[in-house]
Amino acid sequence: MAEIPTVLITGASSGIGATYADRFAGRGHNLVLVARDKARMEALGARLRDEKGVTVDILQADLTNPGELATVESRLRDDSQIGIFVNNAGASLGRTFVEQSTDDIGRLVALNTTAVVRLASAVAARFVATGAGAIINISSVVSLAPEFGMSVYGATKAFVTFLSQALSLELGPKGVYVQAVLPAATRTEIWERSGVDVNTLSAVMDVGELVDAALIGFDRREPVTIPPLQNAGQWDVYQAARQAMITGFAQSHAAERYRAAN
Ligand code: NAP
């Protein structure tokens, strides 16, 4: 792997992905940008080549299309220059569960979960073989909050948070860093694309601030980075409460409250 590895970023045509592209180019990394909108990526790539002096490859792909997803998987599997993978492409769905069409839900799950895990799978074996590499998975605070009423989106992000934490435990000892980034509302096109006016939300972070904070977490090798969480101790308490349950799960008998009354 090169000394300054190439970074492949999905969802790099706008928002968080485009900002990661800008920041990693600023750190001297060559880039591979993936999304559907080729013209936007070409424009971003031209600016970054010009301003930052890095090379930028454009890979147009709809990650819900199995054939196009396979092209990106191959690139991650075979390109030994790629040492950082930003697993960022994602979307949301407006309205309530019963108002969302089953096909729209299927497409959201394909993009936010199937593509995310297939791409991580494609790159992980090569990273483990070299004992290096980093995977940044963009999840969401919604993954921790069923109360937000974003049932399917939140469920897909819970998948991403869990996968990241589990892969961090599994791949970390093999030299591969896995980070989950959990933004809260951030000013990007995702809101408009899902039919929500971002200006109706009460607190929205600028995308540059979000990515810069996430990169501080990256540099510290945090497994989970939640930029808007002011009190880091709350996450530690939450983790400790969850881990305290684990030791009690192995039981030959149901808990007292589930035993039939005689
Ligand atoms: P965004 O500006 O809408 O960016 C989404 C990116 O994903 C775009 O580059 C889009 O590019 C790409 N994309 C969408 N569908 C795709 C598909 N089928 N195939 C390939 N690429 C696709 O929104 P964003 O906020 O930056 O979202 C990035 C990530 O952050 C998502 O995973 C999102 O869930 C997460 N997130 C966002 C927020 C927030 O408030 N903004 C909060 C928490 C988490 P094309 O349209 O060109 O394909």
Side-chain angles (χ1 to χ4, degrees):
M1 210 177 283
E3 204 174 310
I4 301 184
T6 296
V7 184
L8 185 144
I9 304 167
T10 64
S13 63
S14 68
I16 293 170
T19 307
Y20 266 108
D22 178 80
R23 300 305 195 262
F24 273 121
R27 293 175 171 212
H29 294 266
N30 295 328
L31 303 173
V32 181
L33 307 182
V34 180
R36 294 167 302 181
D37 191 330
K38 193 172 183 189
R40 284 183 90 175
M41 290 190 289
E42 294 284 11
L44 174 63
R47 179 176 73 76
L48 296 178
R49 283 182 205 108
D50 189 40
E51 288 179 6
K52 320 276 188 189
V54 297
T55 68
V56 183
D57 280 1
I58 307 298
L59 201 50
Q60 183 182 31
D62 180 342
L63 299 176
T64 64
N65 176 308
E68 295 178 29
L69 176 59
T71 307
V72 185
E73 291 168 21
S74 298
R75 183 68 183 261
L76 284 167
R77 201 174 281 120
D78 299 337
D79 185 344
S80 62
Q81 300 297 307
I82 296 171
I84 300 174
F85 169 41
V86 185
N87 210 354
N88 162 76
S92 185
L93 260 187
R95 301 189 304 237
T96 67
F97 185 59
V98 293
E99 291 167 339
Q100 293 164 350
S101 84
T102 306
D103 286 344
D104 282 348
I105 288 171
R107 269 188 294 276
L108 190 77
V109 170
L111 178 65
N112 287 12
T113 66
T114 305
V116 165
V117 70
R118 287 193 65 102
L119 294 171
S121 164
V123 83
R126 182 170 62 75
F127 281 177
V128 167
T130 56
I135 301 172
I136 302 171
N137 292 324
I138 307 301
S139 184
S140 167
V141 295
V142 185
S143 70
L144 306 175
E147 292 80 3
F148 284 177
M150 302 169 79
S151 301
V152 180
Y153 176 77
T156 67
K157 291 302 179 179
F159 177 93
V160 177
T161 299
F162 185 107
L163 181 72
S164 305
Q165 290 183 278
L167 290 183
S168 175
L169 292 170
E170 188 176 339
L171 305 183
K174 300 176 191 317
V176 181
Y177 169 51
V178 182
Q179 180 193 29
V181 175
L182 279 61
T186 306
R187 194 171 299 280
T188 70
E189 294 169 20
I190 197 169
W191 296 100
E192 192 186 328
R193 290 182 200 240
S194 58
V196 176
D197 179 358
V198 71
N199 296 311
T200 62
L201 306 176
S202 59
V204 182
M205 195 177 292
D206 280 336
V207 67
E209 184 166 343
L210 179 275
V211 172
D212 287 337
L215 282 169
I216 289 173
F218 176 83
D219 292 338
R220 290 180 185 154
R221 293 298 188 252
E222 287 182 355
V224 177
T225 299
I226 312 177
L229 185 69
Q230 302 296 313
N231 180 353
Q234 289 179 319
W235 173 255
D236 298 333
V237 169
Y238 176 67
Q239 288 296 91
R242 189 182 56 72
Q243 285 166 342
M245 281 193 299
I246 296 173
T247 52
F249 286 153
Q251 299 284 343
S252 312
H253 298 292
E256 181 69 38
R257 68 187 178 284
Y258 298 121
R259 294 193 201 155
N262 290 318

